[in-house]
Amino acid sequence: MRSSPYWSVITHATLRRILPGFAVSSLGDGMAVVAVSWLAIELAPATHRGMWVASAAAAYTLSGAVGALLLGRFLRHHHPARLAGWDAVLRAGALGAIPMLYAVGALGIEGYVALLALSSVLHSWGQAGVYTLIARVLPEQEHLAGNAVLSGVGSIATVVGPSLATLLITFAGPATVLAVDATTFLVLAFTFLVLLPEGAVPEPEGDTASRSPGFAVICRIPALSGLLALSFVFFFLFGPVYVALPMHVSDDLGASAGVLATFYTAFGVGAVLGSVLTGFLSSLRLWPVTAGIVIGFGTLLLPLGLGAPTVLSVVCFGAAGLLWPPYASLSTALFQRSAPSALLPQALAAHSAVRVLSVPLGTALGGPLVAVLGPVGILRLSAVGIATTGAVASVALTLRVVRRR
């Protein structure tokens, strides 16, 4: 155990204080994935239910990108623990208001969507604060393991959380799940704002530069600009899968929702295993591995677009899930290594904003494309596009190495 790359992370004096709160909050978010849509179905008028469910899901994520873009001048110079704590406080307050209003019969669908949007306004900054904290308390060679621990906790929550949410919804309703989620964010806020002692997270040298906008920081560093472009295209091309896969299961395979759940469960289990394996990649060259992951991910999606047998498609989708956490952890580690420490919060917030925007944009495009190309056509297009994007990134990296020689 002591030889594991994760030992120094989980035994670190500062991280030992925040990991329990982060785990509790991640579980609450895993439960909310189900409850957010289910409560929207309950509140929305039957004639416009689809529109409101989509609006609720989008509001719960997209406002974080808006916050990253508009609140930089107010937040980019603050301590990373405060950024994470303030995000948790806002989420606890906004999400906690939902079950309170529901209990007294004062919650309408419009107010529900507004509260979901409000809850996520600071989320990009909260995520940036957490990963900036990892970068400042751990030596560079341990950044990847630290990122992988957080990714692993989140992956486990996506597997366990929906099942717990289903039980709570059955016996107490979806609003109760959001009450639990709000409580978990109170725990996280207490962790960052109270449990962390002064000086637990070192301040970077040269902090006078920390007021630069996040995208300006990224544009000044060509490697980060390329990585941001790679992440955007990768996640954008994966977005249509969220539309095409359910329709493929329903229309092409004529299967039940249980088969769709099997696909997502396989992806989640793969993600948990991928998080465990990520920490062992630190001895490799991170840039080529990152591009290679994108190629592998697209290749593993291809059987779904070629009409492979369902069992093979599920296995390949699960294997793609294995690559998802390593990409997230590796790309974050490259930001942590490449951006100056004083500029890291705003750079990571900008990176988070692009990632938050790209998947929904791809999903929105998937709707009309499915009508033209069909579900299998979209799955094939996404697979080939993702693999090609990784190949282009690999060629660019090779040319960069050749120029340096």
Side-chain angles (χ1 to χ4, degrees), residues 350-368:
H351 184 225
S352 177
V354 168
R355 289 174 58 182
V356 166
L357 279 171
S358 56
V359 173
L361 286 175
T363 303
L365 181 63

Side-chain angles (χ1 to χ4, degrees), residues 136-278:
R136 290 185 184 176
V137 302
L138 293 176
E140 182 179 286
Q141 65 270 21
E142 296 177 7
H143 288 173
L144 184 58
N147 298 342
V149 168
L150 298 186
S151 177
V153 169
S155 297
I156 292 172
T158 62
V159 175
V160 178
S163 298
L164 293 177
T166 301
L167 287 174
L168 267 179
I169 289 171
T170 300
F171 294 104
T176 302
V177 178
L178 294 180
V180 172
D181 192 23
T183 304
T184 66
F185 278 111
L186 282 178
V187 174
L188 188 63
F190 180 81
T191 298
F192 280 108
L193 300 178
V194 178
L195 288 186
L196 281 184
E198 288 290 331
V201 183
E203 293 288 349
E205 296 180 3
D207 194 43
T208 54
S210 66
R211 295 179 180 274
S212 300
F215 286 105
V217 175
I218 293 171
C219 289
R220 291 204 300 267
I221 305 173
L224 293 187
S225 301
L227 179 58
L228 191 68
L230 175 62
S231 294
F232 177 83
V233 177
F234 176 22
F235 293 126
F236 176 79
L237 290 174
F238 184 66
V241 173
Y242 286 111
V243 179
L245 182 57
M247 295 188 67
H248 172 58
V249 170
S250 174
D251 298 350
D252 299 332
L253 302 180
S256 66
V259 174
L260 179 61
T262 301
F263 273 98
Y264 287 134
T265 300
F267 192 93
V269 172
V272 172
L273 295 176
S275 298
V276 173
L277 295 174
T278 299

